[in-house]
Amino acid sequence: MAVNLLEYDLGGLAAFCAGLGEKRFRAVQLFRWIHQKGEADFSRMTDLARSLREKLPGLAEVRALPVISEHVSADGTIKWLFDVGGGNAVETVFIPEVDRGTLCVSSQAGCAVGCRFCSTGAQGFSRNLSTAEITAQLWFAEHRLRQHLQLAEGERAIDNVVMMGMGEPLQNYTALLPALRTMLDDHAYGLSRRRVTVSTSGVVPMIERLRQDCPVALAVSLHAPTDALRDDLVPLNRKYPLHELLGACGAYLERAPRDFITFEYCMLDGVNDAPEQAQALVRLVKGRAGAPAVACKLNLIPFNPFPASGLTRSPRERIVAFAKVLQDAGIVTTVRKTRGDDIDAACGQLAGEVQDRTRLNERLTRRPVRIPVRAAAADGAGR
Ligand code: SAH
Ligand code: SF4
């Protein structure tokens, strides 16, 4: 099958072109056509050498993901559902801001971490997306939006990418890295590294790898100030407890000294939203609970409920009071606005359609079943 050129960052495309006997500048031209112009038809890449234009079809293609649906929210948020084959679908969300906007991108079909408050996690894990499948979400959304928003030539629609869709990006690191490089590349989307955010539930060794390979903005999903509670909410904490996670965050910032980590904290009624828990959180990030201080901002996310979770959203006053404790301690704290609620596009609501090959949902909901002996016997007798 023809290779999908969305699989490559510029280095990869240059290597592919070298294999065809083509110089690097041809790869740059091709890369710009694909990502800056959104062109998928080689015959229309007019300044590409005719020899290369003729060589490419059959060997290569620019293959987008089939779109299953597109939903536009009353507030302008757009959600796409993409078919990634094998009965799996992933979601991508565009969140418009005053000018331009943010794209929320998925990295896996399902997720193996299984956080208690997350509907993606509740589905279990199906598979990693390839680089092409990650990049295709941005490629499609950017060029679709340019048409939809009727942008002028050269104007772009997306100036922020957050890896906050379905999946744990740092458990799909090999595929993620070239996709990040394409987002940052001036010959492609040219996003600044502060405007590309990887959000992680805390895969400590991969935070270190990201620091070395491609230090973009980092968001860490904290959700609890103590290991006991975090073990329960984010099961990965049992493997990488808070002191290791905070240590990795501190080390990450050494590579990017003017930066900060964004800690995400999902507000769950009666679970993690008490004022004492806010105090414990202050001690944790200020370095008085056995871990070093970390330059950070706190982003409180009102929980988006889904029935199977058995959890509810903290009341507004409780979120405000929690935020105040943090702010009084000098921590910059924001409460996330819920966008795209009417189309289930808000944080944690991205469910797609995933073949649960880990049967996580089944394990979570399995209860011992008592068979009423008499009824069963009667049934048997009647047959
Ligand atoms: N796996 C990564 C990125 C995807 S989730 C991570 O966990 O960081 C993106 C953000 O949405 C995370 O902070 C996650 O904790 C949060 N989230 C998940 N389910 C949610 C829900 N039901 N309500 C609010 N936020 C949720
Ligand atoms: Fe996976 Fe993130 Fe959901 Fe946890 S919150 S289950 S890590 S997608």
Side-chain angles (χ1 to χ4, degrees), residues 15-283:
F16 173 79
C17 287
L20 301 178
E22 298 285 343
K23 297 231 164 54
R24 185 183 159 88
F25 85 93
R26 293 283 178 219
V28 173
Q29 284 181 312
L30 187 53
F31 200 60
R32 291 172 70 106
W33 272 108
I34 297 169
H35 295 289
Q36 292 191 338
K37 294 210 164 57
E39 187 56 73
D41 181 346
F42 301 126
S43 70
R44 298 225 291 251
M45 301 183 179
T46 42
D47 64 358
L48 217 57
R50 179 190 288 263
S51 62
L52 180 57
R53 256 188 282 160
E54 285 169 0
K55 238 184 275 176
L56 285 172
L59 291 177
E61 61 182 340
V62 180
R63 194 168 58 246
L65 290 169
V67 182
I68 298 171
S69 63
E70 178 182 81
H71 291 284
V72 183
S73 158
D75 67 16
T77 302
I78 305 177
K79 180 174 81 169
W80 292 282
L81 185 65
F82 293 108
D83 185 355
V84 293
N88 295 314
V90 298
E91 290 175 337
T92 307
V93 178
F94 174 70
I95 305 138
E97 256 107 356
V98 180
D99 53 9
R100 305 186 191 172
T102 296
L103 193 71
C104 180
V105 171
S106 293
S107 57
Q108 298 179 314
C111 182
V113 178
C115 299
R116 269 188 51 198
F117 47 83
C118 173
S119 60
T120 305
Q123 298 187 8
F125 175 67
S126 190
R127 72 167 174 86
N128 280 328
L129 298 188
S130 66
T131 300
E133 289 168 330
I134 298 172
T135 302
Q137 297 172 61
L138 174 59
W139 183 81
F140 173 85
E142 172 65 35
H143 300 293
R144 172 101 181 91
L145 286 163
R146 281 187 200 176
Q147 287 174 343
H148 180 77
L149 304 172
Q150 299 183 326
L151 298 184
E153 173 87 32
E155 251 189 300
R156 64 183 182 193
I158 294 162
D159 66 344
N160 236 319
V161 171
V162 293
M163 297 302 305
M164 292 186 185
M166 298 168 69
E168 169 47 59
L170 294 188
Q171 286 187 339
N172 185 16
Y173 188 76
T174 314
L176 175 72
L177 189 59
L180 293 178
R181 289 191 168 134
T182 299
M183 293 171 195
L184 301 180
D185 200 307
D186 282 339
H187 296 297
Y189 303 91
L191 299 177
S192 99
R193 71 180 175 80
R194 285 186 174 74
R195 290 180 164 275
V196 173
T197 301
V198 169
S199 177
T200 180
S201 56
V203 191
V204 165
M206 292 297 127
I207 293 178
E208 174 58 21
R209 286 279 298 278
L210 188 67
R211 179 176 84 99
Q212 290 167 9
D213 295 336
C214 192
V216 292
L218 187 66
V220 172
S221 297
L222 212 49
H223 309 308
T226 61
D227 280 319
L229 181 58
R230 197 165 188 272
D231 280 352
D232 183 41
L233 295 176
V234 185
L236 193 66
N237 195 70
R238 295 175 207 152
K239 195 162 181 192
Y240 305 114
L242 281 169
H243 71 275
E244 285 185 29
L245 179 56
L246 275 276
C249 291
Y252 195 86
L253 293 176
E254 282 165 24
R255 183 71 188 263
R258 288 188 301 122
D259 281 352
F260 54 87
I261 306 278
T262 302
F263 287 125
E264 290 156 290
Y265 197 100
C266 179
M267 299 298 292
L268 302 163
D269 188 17
V271 174
N272 64 356
D273 62 349
E276 308 79 63
Q277 287 165 318
Q279 297 288 2
L281 190 55
V282 170
R283 289 195 294 277

